[in-house]
């Protein structure tokens, strides 16, 4: 681990965090929704448009080759960050696209009536709805692995649910609502023993901890760039090369072909086979800058910093009467879902906003999880390394004030 950074200096890298909201200093606690961007990411996108904006892989002129080089360099940075090969990384618009790509290119041609797609109750809709669509088209059925009351996966039940009919398991690495960190390496090992293909949703893991995909041992790993300091509309699907080779394209168009004839088209090799059309060039160059930035800080330093903020916030919130934290698994990322007795989550979030505190309220694209906890919605405070202990105190003080107003 590199030495811990000076977090006050790090905070200064984020220009947006100096703004005020309703006359109060902004306390941004919605990083699980989207993360804020450091100056270097903003500058890299700005630099692309000012100096070498051009389409990739199409032009031989200087700007075209500079843009292509920077775009492919971003792929290389992401590959090193995740400890995988460049040619196993499909650049795409985010986790939603990545999971749909697996669903339509891997699962749709393979699943048969009676096959089972196993999911956990804590999945984001992005790791539920594509599978429902594929189940409808193939006759496969969805099986759900349930949770323990603290919001951990019930591993015994999950392993018991891995019967012969299960062909694919979709599991989130970290829950966007509960913060639960799932033991994905163990889960994937058990799935592998039974020949089950694993799709891990890494959206909420990659921003918070070092992720070594080969050590997880999954078949597919999806992530989204905007939660890890990168621009929106960026992301990655990692897949084992053998899967990518065997998958037909999901979208057809420019860039994903070698030769097009009206009597037959020869597709490009992976990963470009899956990158039809003009990609988000600026965005992925920005994501490459985000990867450099996070790597310089050190993912282990980030994890340690966020663990401190989580412990501080959990302690401060537990002092507040009538406040219930939903999701208390022993291994958690810095995400806290909560409710205050007698108050609707949206009212809470609206009043907190008047205090300058940005939290998300709603179902967090996880309806089945809300059903499990018997609530229509929660408020969610999600922290990043750029938050401060003073902000945790300001958040707790705002909660006390808002609770009084709602009493
Ligand atoms: N999975 C999880 C766990 C998420 O938190 C999110 C974003 N809220 C997604 C998938 C979807 O990501 P995107 O909207 O960037 O495709």
């Amino acid at each position: 681990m590199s030495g811990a950074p000076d977090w006050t200096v790090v905070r200064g890298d984020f220009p947006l965090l100096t703004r005020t909201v309703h006359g109060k200093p902004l306390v941004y606690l919605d990083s699980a929704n989207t993360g804020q961007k450091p100056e270097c990411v903003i500058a890299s996108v700005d630099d692309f448009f000012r100096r070498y904006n051009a389409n990739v892989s199409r032009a031989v002129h200087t700007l075209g080759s500079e843009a292509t080089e920077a775009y492919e360099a971003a792929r290389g940075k992401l590959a090193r960050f995740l400890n995988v090969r460049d040619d196993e990384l499909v650049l795409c618009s985010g986790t939603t696209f990545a999971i749909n790509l697996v669903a339509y290119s891997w699962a749709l041609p393979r699943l048969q009536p009676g096959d089972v797609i196993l999911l956990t109750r804590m999945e984001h809709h992005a790791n539920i709805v594509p599978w429902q669509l594929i189940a409808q088209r193939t006759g496969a059925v969805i099986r759900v692995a349930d949770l323990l009351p603290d919001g951990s996966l019930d591993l015994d039940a999950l392993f018991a649910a891995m019967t012969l009919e299960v062909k694919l398991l979709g599991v989130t690495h970290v829950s966007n609502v509960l913060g639960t960190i799932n033991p994905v390496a163990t889960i994937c090992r058990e799935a592998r023993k039974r020949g089950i293909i694993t799709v891990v949703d890494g959206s909420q893991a990659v921003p918070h901890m070092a992720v070594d995909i080969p050590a997880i041992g999954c078949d597919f790993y999806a992530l989204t760039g905007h939660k890890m300091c990168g621009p929106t509309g960026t992301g990655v699907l990692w897949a084992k090369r053998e899967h990518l080779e065997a998958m037909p394209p999901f979208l057809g168009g420019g860039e994903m072909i070698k030769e097009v004839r009206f009597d037959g088209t020869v597709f490009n090799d992976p990963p470009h086979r899956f990158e039809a059309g003009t990609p988000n060039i600026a965005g992925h160059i920005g994501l490459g800058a985000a990867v450099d930035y996070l790597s310089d800080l050190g993912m282990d330093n980030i994890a340690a910093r966020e663990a401190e903020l989580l412990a501080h916030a959990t302690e401060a919130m537990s002092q507040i009467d009538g406040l219930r934290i939903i999701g208390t698994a022993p291994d958690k990322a810095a995400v806290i879902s909560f409710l205050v007795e007698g108050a609707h989550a949206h009212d809470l979030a609206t009043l907190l906003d008047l205090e300058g505190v940005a939290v998300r309220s709603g179902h967090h694209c996880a309806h089945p999880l809300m059903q499990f906890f018997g609530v229509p919605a929660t408020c969610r405070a999600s922290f990043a390394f750029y938050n401060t202990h003073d902000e945790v105190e300001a958040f707790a003080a705002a909660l006390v004030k808002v609770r009084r107003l709602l009493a």
Side-chain angles (χ1 to χ4, degrees):
M1 192 194 292
S2 47
D6 179 339
W7 296 109
T8 315
V9 174
V10 170
R11 165 84 176 189
D13 294 337
F14 291 80
L16 182 142
L17 296 177
T18 58
R19 69 165 284 180
T20 54
V21 169
H22 302 298
K24 308 266 170 60
L26 169 68
V27 176
Y28 186 76
L29 302 183
D30 198 19
S31 293
N33 205 355
T34 197
Q36 294 306 342
K37 319 303 174 202
E39 193 65 61
C40 60
V41 169
I42 300 168
S44 77
V45 174
D46 182 81
D47 183 48
F48 169 73
F49 285 123
R50 283 178 197 282
R51 275 200 321 110
Y52 61 104
N53 173 47
N55 212 331
V56 291
S57 313
R58 290 168 206 223
V60 292
H61 58 69
T62 302
L63 298 192
S65 44
E66 286 179 8
T68 305
E69 223 169 85
Y71 181 73
E72 291 303 328
R75 190 191 310 272
K77 289 175 188 186
L78 280 154
R80 285 188 292 284
F81 190 60
L82 301 165
N83 194 25
V84 294
R85 284 167 48 168
D86 296 29
D87 63 1
E88 294 178 332
L89 280 189
V90 179
L91 301 183
C92 61
S93 63
T95 298
T96 303
F97 184 97
I99 294 177
N100 276 278
L101 171 54
V102 183
Y104 285 91
S105 285
W106 189 87
L108 184 60
R110 287 174 178 76
L111 295 189
Q112 310 269 337
D115 286 345
V116 172
I117 300 168
L118 180 59
L119 303 174
T120 85
R121 185 168 295 274
M122 69 172 82
E123 299 312 309
H124 185 280
H125 294 164
N127 206 16
I128 299 175
V129 183
W131 303 119
Q132 289 176 325
L133 296 172
I134 294 303
Q136 277 165 14
R137 302 262 297 261
T138 59
V141 291
I142 290 180
R143 182 178 291 165
V144 182
D146 245 312
L147 311 183
L148 298 172
D150 69 354
S152 309
L153 274 179
D154 183 342
L155 289 180
D156 292 336
L158 176 66
F159 299 152
M162 291 182 184
T163 56
L164 275 179
E165 310 79 54
V166 178
K167 295 292 179 297
L168 182 143
L169 166 70
V171 60
T172 193
H173 194 162
V174 172
S175 161
N176 63 314
V177 180
L178 307 167
T180 310
I181 303 174
N182 289 321
V184 282
T186 308
I187 293 169
C188 291
R189 192 179 58 232
E190 291 302 313
R192 213 164 42 244
K193 279 189 207 160
R194 297 159 171 86
I196 299 170
I197 295 292
T198 44
V199 182
V200 178
D201 175 351
S203 313
Q204 298 288 348
V206 179
H208 303 296
M209 61 186 76
V211 169
D212 180 330
I213 292 179
I216 294 171
C218 53
D219 290 282
F220 297 97
Y221 195 93
L223 64 92
T224 214
H226 66 96
K227 296 181 201 285
M228 50 185 285
C229 295
T232 48
T234 62
V236 165
L237 174 70
W238 171 83
K240 281 186 182 155
R241 183 82 196 171
E242 71 207 60
H243 293 318
L244 289 180
E245 302 272 9
M247 282 160 56
F250 173 39
L251 296 175
E255 289 311 315
M256 47 73 70
I257 46 80
K258 279 186 176 155
E259 188 186 2
V260 177
R261 304 162 67 97
F262 278 109
D263 57 0
T265 287
V266 182
F267 303 130
N268 210 338
D269 296 325
H272 297 101
R273 181 188 299 170
F274 304 104
E275 296 179 9
T278 301
N280 184 352
I281 306 165
H284 282 100
I285 291 172
L287 181 56
V291 164
D292 285 342
Y293 181 76
L294 294 173
S295 304
D296 280 354
L297 292 180
M299 290 311 297
D300 290 340
N301 290 325
I302 286 173
R305 163 75 171 174
E306 292 179 356
E308 272 177 24
L309 292 168
L310 174 67
H312 183 179
T314 306
E315 169 59 23
M317 290 167 81
S318 65
Q319 308 294 320
I320 298 172
D321 275 350
L323 188 146
R324 171 185 169 207
I325 292 179
I326 294 170
T328 51
D331 208 5
K332 270 187 70 166
V335 172
I336 308 178
S337 268
F338 63 97
L339 281 172
V340 169
E341 218 171 34
H344 193 282
H346 288 315
D347 295 339
L348 263 175
T350 306
L351 290 172
L352 285 169
D353 183 58
L354 293 175
E355 299 302 313
V357 178
V359 296
R360 183 168 175 198
S361 58
H363 53 68
H364 316 290
C365 298
H367 278 155
L369 192 54
M370 298 293 113
Q371 290 147 17
F372 178 79
F373 284 102
V375 296
T378 71
C379 267
R380 179 188 68 185
S382 53
F383 299 81
F385 58 86
Y386 44 69
N387 288 122
T388 66
H389 286 285
D390 286 348
E391 286 183 312
V392 172
E393 293 294 332
F395 168 51
L399 271 173
V400 169
K401 183 171 170 188
V402 163
R403 188 176 131 58
R404 233 183 279 124
L405 286 173
L406 287 169

